[in-house]
Amino acid sequence: KAGVTQTPRYLIKTRGQQVTLSCSPISGHRSVSWYQQTPGQGLQFLFEYFSETQRNKGNFPGRFSGRQFSNSRSEMNVSTLELGDSALYLCASRRLAGGFTGELFFGEGSRLTVL
Amino acid sequence: DQQVKQNSPSLSVQEGRISILNCDYTNSMFDYFLWYKKYPAEGPTFLISISSIKDKNEDGRFTVFLNKSAKHLSLHIVPSQPGDSAVYFCAASALSGGSNYKLTFGKGTLLTVNP
């Protein structure tokens, strides 16, 4: 069974640009969450999508947004990039039927560097 | 406000000895706790979890202990192996929260197991 797939794995942008990251969840998983990992803050929750709807949102500015498609694939977008947005962006999926047991399954992440 | 705290940024142990990683939480609504392991350039991998109705859960070399009154949990690895060297994240969730589900992570502890 294929895991969570994130693209691109690495990217470099400059301040003021925007970026779009993509995530394909594990087959059958309908919920997708996004987390930001930085050395100083650890992993912080960005948002969760289920059935193409944002169900939960963390404490990030409106420059961070996302969406989910009917096939459960998700994208997140960061506009007007700042240096502090440099981070590893992790996508995670979970199943919602058949007894959810609490764990999220993470992809390998997209490493964003803002210059 | 950091709701999940891992106060030791790093821990070094000898191969074959016990590794004990600690985690404290402040939110009484948390009812499910997880440990994730993360190697560089990879996403976090689920290791072991415990529900708040239990005080211990064991899986091979890994045991998690939960002390609800102290709002403290620990991960024991016995015996420690060099391949266990990684960053370990403690995470907590309110499983009973239903569809609005997220993990709140600590900042991680870097475990180094020396041969």
Side-chain angles (χ1 to χ4, degrees):
Chain A
K1 188 169 173 179
V4 177
T5 304
Q6 292 188 245
T7 57
R9 290 292 313 279
Y10 302 92
L11 65 165
I12 299 173
K13 294 284 187 178
T14 56
R15 281 181 297 175
Q17 288 187 308
Q18 68 93 27
V19 65
T20 299
L21 309 176
S22 180
C23 171
S24 293
I26 291 172
S27 178
H29 287 196
R30 295 170 60 196
S31 163
V32 173
S33 303
W34 289 89
Y35 288 78
Q36 180 197 63
Q37 185 190 7
T38 57
Q41 298 299 321
L43 281 86
Q44 292 189 292
F45 173 74
L46 280 155
F47 26 64
E48 181 188 26
Y49 285 87
F50 171 66
S51 291
E52 303 175 63
T53 302
Q54 188 181 92
R55 302 298 292 268
N56 201 0
K57 190 176 190 307
N59 296 323
F60 280 83
R63 300 185 297 108
F64 291 81
S65 63
R67 59 177 175 168
Q68 187 180 35
F69 302 95
S70 58
N71 62 357
S72 295
R73 191 177 70 84
S74 176
E75 290 181 347
M76 69 162 282
N77 184 78
V78 188
S79 62
T80 319
L81 284 166
E82 300 177 359
L83 296 179
D85 297 333
S86 294
L88 180 68
Y89 290 88
L90 291 159
C91 171
S93 73
R94 64 179 175 117
R95 64 171 185 254
L96 290 174
F100 173 52
T101 52
E103 56 263 37
L104 301 183
F105 297 88
F106 285 86
E108 294 185 314
S110 293
R111 170 74 62 187
L112 170 66
T113 301
V114 182
L115 302 176
Chain B
D1 176 31
Q2 200 180 344
Q3 298 185 60
V4 178
K5 299 178 184 178
Q6 293 178 257
N7 292 320
S8 297
S10 63
L11 174 68
S12 182
V13 299
Q14 286 298 120
E15 182 179 5
R17 305 295 292 269
I18 183 171
S19 295
I20 300 176
L21 297 96
N22 294 303
C23 178
D24 298 293
Y25 63 96
T26 58
N27 190 338
S28 300
M29 298 300 292
F30 289 147
D31 56 9
Y32 197 75
F33 305 89
L34 309 89
W35 285 93
Y36 280 83
K37 175 169 131 176
K38 186 179 184 301
Y39 294 117
E42 293 185 12
T45 303
F46 170 72
L47 197 57
I48 192 170
S49 62
I50 187 167
S51 164
S52 60
I53 62 173
K54 296 185 176 181
D55 54 19
K56 177 182 174 182
N57 188 27
E58 195 171 352
D59 184 2
R61 297 186 296 115
F62 303 91
T63 303
V64 57
F65 296 91
L66 175 63
N67 182 334
K68 279 194 300 182
S69 61
K71 292 191 175 67
H72 176 84
L73 63 155
S74 60
L75 174 68
H76 293 212
I77 306 174
V78 184
S80 301
Q81 300 173 353
D84 296 329
S85 297
V87 176
Y88 288 78
F89 288 97
C90 171
S93 68
L95 199 63
S96 54
S99 59
N100 292 333
Y101 183 79
K102 69 174 184 179
L103 293 180
T104 300
F105 285 87
K107 294 188 177 182
T109 297
L110 173 62
L111 173 66
T112 302
V113 181
N114 301 302

